Amino acid sequence: MARRPGAPAAYGEEFTFVSPLVKYLLFFFNMLFWVISMVMVAVGVYARLMKHAEAALACLAVDPAILLIVVGVLMFLLTFCGCIGSLRENICLLQTFSLCLTIVFLLQLAAGILGFVFSDKARGKVSEIINNAIVHYRDDLDLQNLIDFGQKKFSCCGGNSYKDWSQNMYFNCSEDNPSRERCSVPYSCCLPTPNQAVINTMCGQGMQALDYLEASKVIYTNGCIDKLVNWIHSNLFLLGGVALGLAIPQLVGILLSQILVNQIKDQIKLQLYNQQHRADPWY
Protein backbone atom coordinates (compact mmCIF):
# COMPACT_ATOMS: atom_id res chain seq x y z
CA MET A 1 0.00 0.00 0.00
CA ALA A 2 1.30 3.43 -0.91
CA ARG A 3 2.51 5.73 1.85
CA ARG A 4 0.80 9.10 2.32
CA PRO A 5 3.00 11.87 0.90
CA GLY A 6 5.00 13.58 3.63
CA ALA A 7 4.41 10.79 6.20
CA PRO A 8 7.59 9.70 8.07
CA ALA A 9 8.83 6.17 7.52
CA ALA A 10 8.40 3.84 10.48
CA TYR A 11 11.39 2.21 12.11
CA GLY A 12 12.02 -1.44 11.30
CA GLU A 13 10.59 -4.04 13.61
CA GLU A 14 14.06 -5.12 14.67
CA PHE A 15 15.05 -1.67 15.91
CA THR A 16 15.03 -1.04 19.69
CA PHE A 17 15.96 1.91 21.84
CA VAL A 18 16.83 -0.40 24.77
CA SER A 19 20.59 -0.91 24.89
CA PRO A 20 21.57 -4.51 25.77
CA LEU A 21 24.76 -3.13 27.35
CA VAL A 22 22.85 -0.92 29.81
CA LYS A 23 20.24 -3.60 30.46
CA TYR A 24 22.61 -6.45 31.30
CA LEU A 25 25.16 -4.23 33.02
CA LEU A 26 22.43 -3.14 35.44
CA PHE A 27 21.26 -6.75 35.81
CA PHE A 28 24.70 -8.15 36.70
CA PHE A 29 25.39 -5.12 38.91
CA ASN A 30 22.30 -5.94 40.96
CA MET A 31 22.94 -9.68 40.81
CA LEU A 32 26.33 -9.18 42.48
CA PHE A 33 24.84 -7.26 45.41
CA TRP A 34 21.88 -9.66 45.52
CA VAL A 35 24.25 -12.55 46.16
CA ILE A 36 26.13 -10.49 48.75
CA SER A 37 22.86 -9.70 50.53
CA MET A 38 21.91 -13.40 50.72
CA VAL A 39 25.33 -14.21 52.20
CA MET A 40 24.87 -11.43 54.78
CA VAL A 41 21.44 -12.75 55.80
CA ALA A 42 22.74 -16.33 56.01
CA VAL A 43 25.69 -15.32 58.19
CA GLY A 44 23.48 -13.16 60.40
CA VAL A 45 20.87 -15.90 60.87
CA TYR A 46 23.57 -18.49 61.62
CA ALA A 47 25.23 -16.21 64.18
CA ARG A 48 21.84 -15.49 65.74
CA LEU A 49 20.88 -19.16 66.05
CA MET A 50 24.20 -19.98 67.68
CA LYS A 51 23.45 -17.66 70.61
CA HIS A 52 21.47 -18.41 73.75
CA ALA A 53 17.92 -17.02 73.69
CA GLU A 54 18.38 -14.91 76.82
CA ALA A 55 21.60 -13.41 75.51
CA ALA A 56 19.94 -12.68 72.17
CA LEU A 57 17.13 -10.69 73.78
CA ALA A 58 19.45 -8.77 76.10
CA CYS A 59 21.20 -6.57 73.55
CA LEU A 60 19.22 -6.28 70.32
CA ALA A 61 20.21 -2.65 69.80
CA VAL A 62 23.92 -3.40 69.36
CA ASP A 63 23.81 -7.01 68.19
CA PRO A 64 25.99 -7.31 65.03
CA ALA A 65 23.97 -10.35 63.87
CA ILE A 66 20.69 -8.40 63.92
CA LEU A 67 22.33 -5.49 62.08
CA LEU A 68 23.67 -7.90 59.46
CA ILE A 69 20.24 -9.48 58.94
CA VAL A 70 18.40 -6.15 58.65
CA VAL A 71 20.89 -4.67 56.17
CA GLY A 72 20.96 -7.93 54.20
CA VAL A 73 17.15 -8.13 53.90
CA LEU A 74 16.86 -4.51 52.79
CA MET A 75 19.64 -4.99 50.24
CA PHE A 76 18.01 -8.22 49.03
CA LEU A 77 14.65 -6.51 48.39
CA LEU A 78 16.27 -3.51 46.74
CA THR A 79 18.51 -5.50 44.40
CA PHE A 80 15.63 -7.89 43.62
CA CYS A 81 13.71 -4.94 42.16
CA GLY A 82 16.78 -3.96 40.15
CA CYS A 83 17.44 -7.48 38.85
CA ILE A 84 13.89 -8.30 37.78
CA GLY A 85 13.19 -4.76 36.60
CA SER A 86 16.18 -4.70 34.27
CA LEU A 87 15.70 -8.25 33.00
CA ARG A 88 11.96 -7.83 32.31
CA GLU A 89 12.26 -4.15 31.34
CA ASN A 90 9.69 -3.29 34.00
CA ILE A 91 9.46 0.48 34.51
CA CYS A 92 7.65 0.18 37.87
CA LEU A 93 10.34 -2.03 39.44
CA LEU A 94 13.16 0.07 37.97
CA GLN A 95 11.67 3.30 39.30
CA THR A 96 11.14 1.67 42.71
CA PHE A 97 14.78 0.58 42.69
CA SER A 98 15.99 4.03 41.64
CA LEU A 99 13.79 5.84 44.19
CA CYS A 100 14.83 3.60 47.10
CA LEU A 101 18.50 3.86 46.16
CA THR A 102 18.19 7.65 45.98
CA ILE A 103 16.55 7.73 49.43
CA VAL A 104 19.32 5.55 50.89
CA PHE A 105 21.97 7.79 49.36
CA LEU A 106 20.31 10.97 50.67
CA LEU A 107 19.89 9.46 54.15
CA GLN A 108 23.58 8.56 54.25
CA LEU A 109 24.50 12.05 53.07
CA ALA A 110 22.19 13.65 55.67
CA ALA A 111 23.59 11.43 58.43
CA GLY A 112 27.13 12.46 57.54
CA ILE A 113 26.26 16.17 57.47
CA LEU A 114 24.25 16.02 60.71
CA GLY A 115 27.01 14.03 62.39
CA PHE A 116 29.51 16.73 61.41
CA VAL A 117 27.28 19.69 62.34
CA PHE A 118 25.99 18.19 65.59
CA SER A 119 29.23 16.48 66.58
CA ASP A 120 28.54 16.92 70.31
CA LYS A 121 25.20 15.11 70.07
CA ALA A 122 26.77 12.44 67.89
CA ARG A 123 29.49 11.99 70.50
CA GLY A 124 26.83 11.64 73.20
CA LYS A 125 25.02 8.99 71.14
CA VAL A 126 28.26 7.07 70.62
CA SER A 127 28.92 7.27 74.36
CA GLU A 128 25.44 5.89 75.04
CA ILE A 129 25.99 2.98 72.64
CA ILE A 130 29.39 2.15 74.17
CA ASN A 131 28.02 2.27 77.71
CA ASN A 132 25.14 -0.02 76.70
CA ALA A 133 27.65 -2.40 75.14
CA ILE A 134 29.68 -2.40 78.35
CA VAL A 135 26.59 -3.34 80.36
CA HIS A 136 25.95 -6.36 78.10
CA TYR A 137 29.62 -7.33 77.66
CA ARG A 138 29.22 -10.83 79.13
CA ASP A 139 25.80 -11.46 77.58
CA ASP A 140 26.86 -11.70 73.94
CA LEU A 141 30.03 -13.39 72.68
CA ASP A 142 30.07 -11.44 69.39
CA LEU A 143 29.68 -8.16 71.26
CA GLN A 144 32.39 -9.19 73.69
CA ASN A 145 34.82 -9.97 70.86
CA LEU A 146 33.94 -6.66 69.17
CA ILE A 147 34.65 -4.65 72.34
CA ASP A 148 37.90 -6.51 72.99
CA PHE A 149 39.01 -5.87 69.41
CA GLY A 150 38.18 -2.16 69.71
CA GLN A 151 39.99 -1.71 73.02
CA LYS A 152 43.12 -3.45 71.75
CA LYS A 153 42.98 -1.64 68.39
CA PHE A 154 42.64 1.86 69.89
CA SER A 155 44.66 1.13 73.07
CA CYS A 156 41.82 2.25 75.33
CA CYS A 157 39.56 1.02 78.10
CA GLY A 158 35.87 1.81 78.66
CA GLY A 159 33.95 4.74 77.20
CA ASN A 160 35.41 7.76 78.99
CA SER A 161 37.81 5.89 81.28
CA TYR A 162 38.57 2.43 82.63
CA LYS A 163 36.20 3.05 85.56
CA ASP A 164 33.24 2.84 83.17
CA TRP A 165 33.49 -0.93 83.53
CA SER A 166 31.85 -0.59 86.92
CA GLN A 167 28.57 -0.33 84.97
CA ASN A 168 28.84 -4.03 84.19
CA MET A 169 27.38 -6.30 86.87
CA TYR A 170 30.40 -8.63 86.78
CA PHE A 171 33.00 -5.84 87.04
CA ASN A 172 31.06 -3.65 89.47
CA CYS A 173 33.00 -2.55 92.56
CA SER A 174 30.09 -2.76 95.01
CA GLU A 175 30.73 -4.74 98.20
CA ASP A 176 27.84 -7.13 97.54
CA ASN A 177 29.17 -8.20 94.14
CA PRO A 178 30.12 -11.90 94.44
CA SER A 179 31.83 -12.04 91.04
CA ARG A 180 35.52 -12.96 90.99
CA GLU A 181 35.91 -10.16 88.40
CA ARG A 182 34.73 -7.55 90.94
CA CYS A 183 36.41 -4.16 90.40
CA SER A 184 38.36 -5.54 87.42
CA VAL A 185 38.53 -4.71 83.72
CA PRO A 186 38.64 -7.04 80.68
CA TYR A 187 42.02 -8.40 79.60
CA SER A 188 41.81 -6.31 76.42
CA CYS A 189 42.46 -3.22 78.58
CA CYS A 190 45.87 -4.53 79.64
CA LEU A 191 49.12 -3.17 78.26
CA PRO A 192 50.76 -5.67 75.86
CA THR A 193 53.54 -7.81 77.28
CA PRO A 194 56.42 -8.51 74.87
CA ASN A 195 56.99 -12.16 73.93
CA GLN A 196 53.94 -13.30 75.89
CA ALA A 197 53.13 -16.88 74.86
CA VAL A 198 49.90 -17.21 76.87
CA ILE A 199 47.39 -14.37 77.31
CA ASN A 200 46.77 -13.51 80.96
CA THR A 201 42.99 -13.01 81.03
CA MET A 202 43.14 -11.93 84.71
CA CYS A 203 45.62 -9.10 84.16
CA GLY A 204 42.91 -6.50 84.84
CA GLN A 205 42.09 -7.87 88.29
CA GLY A 206 41.27 -5.08 90.79
CA MET A 207 42.34 -2.27 88.43
CA GLN A 208 39.27 -0.10 89.12
CA ALA A 209 40.31 0.17 92.77
CA LEU A 210 43.57 1.84 91.74
CA ASP A 211 44.03 5.49 90.82
CA TYR A 212 44.92 6.57 87.28
CA LEU A 213 48.69 6.71 87.88
CA GLU A 214 48.95 3.26 89.39
CA ALA A 215 46.48 1.67 86.95
CA SER A 216 48.28 3.17 83.94
CA LYS A 217 51.29 0.94 84.69
CA VAL A 218 49.19 -2.15 83.92
CA ILE A 219 46.22 -1.11 81.74
CA TYR A 220 45.08 1.58 79.31
CA THR A 221 43.29 4.23 81.36
CA ASN A 222 42.06 6.50 78.58
CA GLY A 223 38.52 5.99 77.26
CA CYS A 224 37.76 4.74 73.75
CA ILE A 225 35.56 7.71 72.80
CA ASP A 226 38.45 10.20 72.78
CA LYS A 227 40.67 7.69 71.00
CA LEU A 228 37.98 7.09 68.38
CA VAL A 229 37.52 10.84 67.81
CA ASN A 230 41.29 11.30 67.42
CA TRP A 231 41.44 8.38 65.00
CA ILE A 232 38.65 9.89 62.89
CA HIS A 233 40.42 13.26 62.76
CA SER A 234 43.68 11.65 61.66
CA ASN A 235 42.04 9.41 59.04
CA LEU A 236 39.66 11.80 57.30
CA PHE A 237 41.05 10.94 53.86
CA LEU A 238 40.57 7.22 54.50
CA LEU A 239 37.00 7.76 55.71
CA GLY A 240 36.34 10.00 52.72
CA GLY A 241 37.57 7.22 50.43
CA VAL A 242 35.30 4.70 52.13
CA ALA A 243 32.33 7.07 51.82
CA LEU A 244 33.14 7.60 48.14
CA GLY A 245 33.42 3.84 47.65
CA LEU A 246 29.92 3.43 49.11
CA ALA A 247 28.47 6.33 47.13
CA ILE A 248 29.81 5.40 43.67
CA PRO A 249 27.92 2.05 43.33
CA GLN A 250 24.71 3.76 44.48
CA LEU A 251 25.11 6.59 41.97
CA VAL A 252 25.97 4.11 39.21
CA GLY A 253 22.83 2.11 40.03
CA ILE A 254 20.66 5.24 39.98
CA LEU A 255 22.19 6.43 36.69
CA LEU A 256 21.86 3.07 34.90
CA SER A 257 18.28 2.55 36.07
CA GLN A 258 17.23 6.01 34.89
CA ILE A 259 18.91 5.52 31.51
CA LEU A 260 17.15 2.17 31.09
CA VAL A 261 13.77 3.64 32.14
CA ASN A 262 14.10 6.40 29.54
CA GLN A 263 15.09 3.87 26.86
CA ILE A 264 12.09 1.66 27.69
CA LYS A 265 9.76 4.69 27.49
CA ASP A 266 11.21 5.58 24.10
CA GLN A 267 10.71 1.98 22.96
CA ILE A 268 7.07 2.09 24.06
CA LYS A 269 6.56 5.30 22.10
CA LEU A 270 8.14 3.65 19.07
CA GLN A 271 5.79 0.67 19.31
CA LEU A 272 2.77 2.93 19.59
CA TYR A 273 4.02 4.94 16.62
CA ASN A 274 4.39 1.78 14.49
CA GLN A 275 0.95 0.50 15.54
CA GLN A 276 -0.68 3.80 14.55
CA HIS A 277 0.97 3.77 11.15
CA ARG A 278 0.06 0.14 10.49
CA ALA A 279 -3.57 1.07 11.08
CA ASP A 280 -3.27 4.10 8.80
CA PRO A 281 -4.75 3.17 5.36
CA TRP A 282 -2.57 5.83 3.70
CA TYR A 283 0.65 4.46 5.25
Side-chain angles (χ1 to χ4, degrees):
M1 183 176 292
R3 180 169 59 89
R4 185 173 63 240
Y11 287 101
E13 293 293 334
E14 71 281 357
F15 180 81
T16 177
F17 281 106
V18 178
S19 169
L21 177 63
V22 175
K23 175 180 177 178
Y24 289 106
L25 186 60
L26 182 60
F27 171 74
F28 287 113
F29 173 84
N30 281 281
M31 178 62 73
L32 173 63
F33 287 97
W34 194 22
V35 173
I36 292 174
S37 69
M38 288 190 288
V39 173
M40 291 173 63
V41 172
V43 172
V45 170
Y46 175 78
R48 196 66 181 167
L49 293 177
M50 290 297 102
K51 298 178 182 178
H52 297 294
E54 61 273 12
L57 294 174
C59 196
L60 292 179
V62 293
D63 188 354
I66 287 292
L67 183 62
L68 204 60
I69 293 172
V70 171
V71 173
V73 169
L74 292 177
M75 186 186 297
F76 177 87
L77 295 174
L78 186 59
T79 53
F80 176 81
C81 290
C83 278
I84 304 302
S86 58
L87 194 62
R88 303 297 299 173
E89 299 181 12
N90 188 299
I91 293 179
C92 182
L93 288 177
L94 287 172
Q95 288 181 331
T96 300
F97 168 76
S98 179
L99 177 62
C100 291
L101 206 57
T102 302
I103 292 174
V104 170
F105 175 76
L106 292 177
L107 287 176
Q108 292 174 347
L109 184 63
I113 294 174
L114 291 175
F116 179 77
V117 174
F118 301 101
S119 56
D120 292 337
K121 291 185 178 180
R123 181 190 178 96
K125 187 62 178 178
V126 171
S127 178
E128 179 184 337
I129 293 173
I130 291 177
N131 288 333
N132 188 37
I134 288 174
V135 170
H136 296 289
Y137 176 76
R138 289 297 189 201
D139 301 334
D140 190 323
L141 183 59
D142 289 340
L143 180 64
Q144 180 177 321
N145 292 333
L146 182 62
I147 293 174
D148 287 335
F149 171 79
Q151 291 190 144
K152 287 188 288 186
K153 173 68 176 178
F154 294 106
S155 303
C156 58
C157 187
N160 295 304
S161 76
Y162 67 101
K163 291 185 180 292
D164 287 344
W165 280 101
S166 192
Q167 300 176 65
N168 185 281
M169 61 183 296
Y170 298 99
F171 298 104
N172 191 277
C173 288
S174 59
E175 295 292 338
D176 58 346
N177 184 8
S179 173
R180 65 176 182 173
E181 295 179 313
R182 176 182 171 273
C183 230
S184 302
V185 295
Y187 79 94
S188 54
C189 289
C190 297
L191 297 174
T193 303
N195 303 321
Q196 185 179 29
V198 180
I199 297 176
N200 179 14
T201 57
M202 301 302 293
C203 59
Q205 190 73 28
M207 287 297 108
Q208 291 188 63
L210 304 179
D211 59 27
Y212 278 84
L213 186 60
E214 292 179 338
S216 62
K217 297 177 182 178
V218 182
I219 64 171
Y220 302 113
T221 54
N222 293 326
C224 293
I225 296 176
D226 289 334
K227 288 295 186 76
L228 179 60
V229 170
N230 292 336
W231 183 86
I232 290 174
H233 287 164
S234 60
N235 291 275
L236 289 177
F237 285 108
L238 174 62
L239 295 175
V242 172
L244 188 62
L246 292 173
I248 288 178
Q250 296 175 30
L251 294 175
V252 168
I254 294 171
L255 179 63
L256 288 176
S257 61
Q258 287 302 313
I259 291 175
L260 187 56
V261 166
N262 290 332
Q263 290 179 346
I264 294 171
K265 287 180 177 179
D266 289 339
Q267 182 65 22
I268 292 173
K269 291 178 181 178
L270 174 62
Q271 291 174 348
L272 293 175
Y273 174 85
N274 287 337
Q275 288 175 1
Q276 290 174 356
H277 282 75
R278 283 196 212 97
D280 188 350
W282 292 99
Y283 176 73

